[in-house]
Amino acid sequence: MQRFFSLPFYLKLATVLINILAIGYFMHIGQTIIVPLILGTLFALLLVPACNWLERKLRFHRTLAALVALLLFFGLIIGVFTLIGSQMTMLKDDWPAFETQIWTGINSIQAWIHETFNIGYSKQSEYLSQTLSKSLSHGTAIVGIALISLSSLFILLVFTFLYTFFILIYRRHILRFMLLLNKREHQSIILDIASEVQYVVKKYLIGLILQMLIVAVMTFIALSIIGVKYGLMLSIITGVINVLPYVGIFVALLIISLITFATSSLTKVLFVVVALIVVHFIDSNFVVPKIVGSKVKINSLFAMLAIIMGELIWGISGMFLAIPILAILKIVFDRIYDLKPWGFLLGEEDSSDHSYKILRDELYPEVVEIKEVKNKKDGI
């Protein structure tokens, strides 16, 4: 009997793993080019309907339509961050209160450490002074890293803008190139993939924007009831950061808790924690499944793996891009015969096994034919 796991099988498996590692390494070292290119592609897919409307209804030239749609879109993004920045400038008025509250909290912590672990105030102050001196000694490096991060963000925004603009201009040319790469009998599949990818990406990004608005509104209502200062700014920050799956809400919780602690009492911090947990529960169980999850049929296991891998390769940008890239891969896998099992693996589980049986009959029609012949012989 021939062994199922033969030597060629292990060679193929090793080749696949090596190719995955090579692609991951290439994507990591080329993130300056690849990340804005993917972002530009996603934004272009989102803005295609607007460009088509400007070209058909207002008779704009394709270049002018792309430029107008892009300026309006990026203007909206810049407006949101400008609003956050204007709100953050108000924090300087309360900085003395922040400092007083922080030192009060530090003194309380020191008292608790002294009573619990019997460590004197002098030793605690000495350790704190050493830590601060080390931090100051590394201050130049921290400033340098911050400047590099700002320059990288600026480069990302510029490249994303340019990629989006040129993809919008040459979108039909790129589609025709993809058709030329494939045989005539496969061109209908390419058109179907392009149409489905545009639909899913558009609906997914619109769903994310709606999710941001809903989370921001719920957070603003909760913070207003509790009486937290800078509720508008913190609500907008929460809505924007919440775009990062599984991580954003906890980062927002940390930021809001620190600002609430610096401007108010510990009781309000506890109320804030409870309120954001409720907001996260509503978002995860009602908003995401209905608005975002309904557009992207990816199971949670591979969504989480994609987010982790995206963070390892591209950082925060990778966490944002992981889900749409995985959704695009699933669309491609579902429409290519040899890759359909992988598309099935990425999708949600069907409790009735209906989709599994359909795919099995499609991939292995000879099994169905054998069963039909057997049934005829048995007189069924």
Side-chain angles (χ1 to χ4, degrees):
M1 182 182 293
Q2 185 179 2
R3 292 183 302 171
F4 180 74
F5 295 106
S6 58
L7 181 60
F9 171 80
Y10 289 111
L11 291 177
K12 290 180 180 179
L13 181 61
T15 303
V16 170
L17 293 177
I18 292 173
N19 288 334
I20 292 175
L21 292 175
I23 292 172
Y25 178 73
F26 172 75
M27 293 170 70
H28 176 69
I29 63 174
Q31 60 179 319
T32 305
I33 299 175
I34 298 175
V35 171
L37 178 60
I38 296 176
L39 280 173
T41 303
L42 296 178
F43 292 156
L45 291 173
L46 176 65
L47 296 175
V48 163
C51 290
N52 290 334
W53 185 83
L54 290 173
E55 292 174 19
R56 294 171 183 171
K57 298 296 182 180
L58 301 182
R59 303 295 181 182
F60 279 16
H61 188 270
R62 186 181 302 174
T63 303
L64 180 60
L67 184 61
V68 170
L70 196 55
L71 288 176
L72 290 175
F73 178 70
F74 274 85
L76 178 63
I77 296 176
I78 293 173
V80 171
F81 283 99
T82 302
L83 179 60
I84 295 175
S86 64
Q87 292 286 316
M88 291 183 69
T89 56
M90 298 168 60
L91 291 174
K92 65 181 181 180
D93 298 331
D94 286 331
W95 182 252
F98 289 172
E99 189 175 1
T100 302
Q101 190 78 350
I102 290 171
W103 279 112
T104 303
I106 291 174
N107 292 331
S108 301
I109 293 173
Q110 281 186 317
W112 179 80
I113 292 175
H114 177 67
E115 293 176 0
T116 306
F117 300 102
N118 198 23
I119 300 176
Y121 290 98
S122 59
K123 289 185 178 180
Q124 294 181 40
S125 300
E126 181 181 353
Y127 178 76
L128 185 61
S129 300
Q130 291 177 357
T131 304
L132 289 174
S133 63
K134 290 180 181 179
S135 300
L136 290 174
S137 64
H138 294 290
T140 305
I142 294 173
V143 172
I145 294 172
L147 291 176
I148 293 173
S149 300
L150 289 175
S151 62
S152 300
L153 179 61
F154 178 75
I155 293 173
L156 175 65
L157 291 175
V158 172
F159 280 5
T160 301
F161 183 91
L162 293 175
Y163 284 140
T164 307
F165 177 68
F166 287 117
I167 290 173
L168 285 173
I169 292 177
Y170 295 108
R171 60 186 185 274
R172 298 191 182 106
H173 189 68
I174 295 172
L175 180 60
R176 290 168 182 166
F177 165 74
M178 294 174 63
L179 293 174
L180 290 174
L181 284 179
N182 295 270
K183 298 179 180 179
R184 188 180 297 273
E185 59 267 21
H186 297 156
Q187 291 185 358
S188 60
I189 300 176
I190 299 300
L191 291 174
D192 184 33
I193 290 174
S195 176
E196 187 67 17
V197 166
Q198 179 185 346
Y199 173 79
V200 169
V201 169
K202 180 181 68 175
K203 294 297 183 181
Y204 175 74
L205 293 179
I206 292 174
L208 279 184
I209 295 172
L210 291 176
Q211 182 195 11
M212 289 169 54
L213 292 175
I214 293 172
V215 170
V217 170
M218 289 192 299
T219 305
F220 179 72
I221 293 173
L223 296 182
S224 300
I225 294 173
I226 296 171
V228 177
K229 293 189 68 173
Y230 311 111
L232 178 60
M233 177 192 72
L234 296 176
S235 301
I236 297 174
I237 291 175
T238 303
V240 172
I241 296 179
N242 192 61
V243 172
L244 300 177
Y246 306 107
V247 178
I249 191 65
F250 296 104
V251 176
L253 177 61
L254 178 62
I255 294 173
I256 297 177
S257 299
L258 288 175
I259 294 180
T260 304
F261 176 74
T263 57
S264 186
S265 61
L266 185 60
T267 304
K268 285 191 177 182
V269 174
L270 297 177
F271 285 139
V272 165
V273 172
V274 174
L276 284 184
I277 290 175
V278 173
V279 169
H280 178 62
F281 176 80
I282 297 173
D283 176 53
S284 301
N285 293 277
F286 298 99
V287 177
V288 172
K290 297 295 182 182
I291 296 179
V292 181
S294 60
K295 312 300 185 297
V296 182
K297 300 295 184 180
I298 302 294
N299 67 64
S300 300
L301 171 62
F302 286 95
M304 191 66 191
L305 287 174
I307 291 168
I308 294 173
M309 292 178 63
E311 197 281 331
L312 291 175
I313 297 174
W314 292 331
I316 296 177
S317 301
M319 297 177 68
F320 172 74
L321 294 174
I323 301 300
I325 290 176
L326 201 62
I328 293 172
L329 288 177
K330 186 182 185 310
I331 293 171
V332 175
F333 291 166
D334 286 341
R335 283 156 179 79
I336 297 178
Y337 183 83
D338 293 332
L339 299 178
K340 285 187 176 182
W342 294 99
F344 175 81
L345 180 64
L346 296 178
E348 290 286 357
E349 184 179 9
D350 184 4
S351 57
S352 64
D353 286 338
H354 181 66
S355 59
Y356 164 72
K357 292 177 182 178
I358 292 177
L359 184 59
R360 182 190 59 186
D361 295 343
E362 182 181 352
L363 293 176
Y364 306 105
E366 66 275 5
V367 177
V368 179
E369 293 175 0
I370 292 173
K371 286 183 178 180
E372 290 178 352
V373 172
K374 185 177 183 301
N375 292 336
K376 288 181 180 178
K377 288 182 178 179
D378 294 339
I380 299 176

